[in-house]
Amino acid sequence: MAQTVLHKAETRGHANHGWLNSYHTFSFANYYNPERMHFGALRVLNDDTVDPGMGFGKHPHDNMEIISIPLEGDLEHKDSMNNVAVIKNGDIQVMSAGTGVFHSEYNKDREQRVKFLQIWVFPDKKNVEPRYDQITLSADDRHNKLQQILSPNPDDAGVWIHQNAWFHLGKFDKGVNTEYNLKAKGNGVYVFNLSGDIKINDQLLNTRDGYGIWDTDKFTITAETDAEFLLMEVPMLS
């Protein structure tokens, strides 16, 4: 029997810093919930809104795979590897912090807010050489199908990380359904529903709900309305 956990949108941790409005699916910063530390190798899922002209000053990371998925607006990234880049809706950014990296993220736009998902995944090896990458995705490739945006393989679709993980985006019209087959034994999938209503097997998810499913090799996804969602398959870790 599949094991599951449901995290309704309104049960997430919340921090409003004025310039930053952040919802935490898992324990982060001042939000601590011993029952919500991580889902397998998925450590952080933050749903962030950054005001115009504001951002995160230079700060360090190490031994974490950090993925940013912009949903609205443009976010400027600078890091200690001399990367300067702007990520916007349709892009995905990945950074292997490894032995250590400093970076900053700013909304340079004076008018528009930035909304983005910040995701941290525990790596499967420590102290790797830090690395940065970003790509632009085609929205057409997720219309009524699952678009792979991340994997463990540099030669596969999307970006890659140091972990046996696969991420997919879907943007389904009402009534569309598909089956997701897990890629690796011992993995689970955390579903984050970005908008609309979907069913994972028989479980209804509304906007911004999260749902973990493991001890199964497949499940069905049905769009109850027009909907957009993110699937994050990760090792469950013992």
Side-chain angles (χ1 to χ4, degrees):
M1 279 289 289
Q3 303 287 309
T4 63
V5 62
L6 175 65
H7 296 140
K8 296 296 288 180
E10 63 273 14
T11 68
R12 296 177 295 169
H14 181 223
N16 192 336
H17 301 283
W19 64 273
L20 169 68
N21 192 17
S22 185
Y23 288 89
H24 313 310
T25 294
F26 304 107
S27 293
F28 186 85
N30 292 328
Y31 169 62
Y32 175 73
N33 181 339
E35 294 181 358
R36 290 170 68 160
M37 297 304 296
H38 59 93
F39 176 83
L42 177 61
R43 171 62 190 90
V44 167
L45 173 55
N46 286 350
D47 185 1
D48 289 348
T49 302
V50 181
D51 277 357
M54 303 300 288
F56 303 87
K58 188 181 281 189
H59 57 281
H61 293 282
D62 63 57
N63 289 317
M64 194 66 75
E65 302 293 300
I66 299 169
I67 300 106
S68 297
I69 303 176
L71 304 174
E72 276 180 31
D74 300 346
L75 194 67
E76 184 181 81
H77 165 99
K78 292 182 179 177
D79 64 40
S80 52
M81 298 175 280
N82 296 319
N83 294 299
V84 179
V86 174
I87 55 170
K88 49 186 176 292
N89 178 243
D91 295 344
I92 178 171
Q93 176 202 68
V94 65
M95 194 168 64
S96 298
T99 52
V101 67
F102 283 82
H103 76 137
S104 62
E105 296 154 304
Y106 275 95
N107 178 3
K108 291 291 194 180
D109 196 298
R110 295 291 169 186
E111 307 290 328
Q112 188 181 6
R113 296 181 308 179
V114 167
K115 294 187 178 186
F116 75 108
L117 301 180
Q118 182 179 170
I119 301 163
W120 297 6
V121 176
F122 291 120
D124 59 10
K125 49 178 76 72
K126 291 218 165 170
N127 299 322
V128 299
E129 184 179 343
R131 169 183 76 89
Y132 177 88
D133 194 19
Q134 77 178 76
I135 61 170
T136 299
L137 304 163
S138 168
D140 291 344
D141 291 342
R142 75 187 74 127
H143 184 222
N144 293 332
K145 55 192 173 187
L146 298 177
Q147 176 188 33
Q148 181 176 296
I149 63 169
L150 176 148
S151 79
N153 184 351
D155 299 322
D156 212 348
V159 296
W160 68 277
I161 63 171
H162 294 284
Q163 187 51 276
N164 206 29
W166 288 262
F167 288 11
H168 290 78
L169 279 170
K171 188 170 186 176
F172 283 16
D173 297 334
K174 180 181 178 180
V176 172
N177 66 79
T178 193
E179 186 174 82
Y180 182 83
N181 293 278
L182 276 77
K183 311 284 189 190
K185 197 165 181 59
N187 277 9
V189 176
Y190 196 85
V191 182
F192 188 60
N193 191 33
L194 292 166
S195 65
D197 298 334
I198 61 173
K199 272 189 176 172
I200 303 297
N201 293 336
D202 293 323
Q203 176 64 57
L204 180 67
L205 303 186
N206 308 119
T207 298
R208 281 344 201 229
D209 287 353
Y211 187 64
I213 182 167
W214 68 103
D215 286 352
T216 188
D217 55 7
K218 62 186 177 184
F219 56 86
T220 59
I221 306 161
T222 306
E224 299 291 301
T225 66
D226 291 354
E228 193 162 8
F229 54 89
L230 172 64
L231 308 179
M232 293 167 280
E233 177 179 338
V234 292
M236 288 311 289
L237 307 178
S238 53

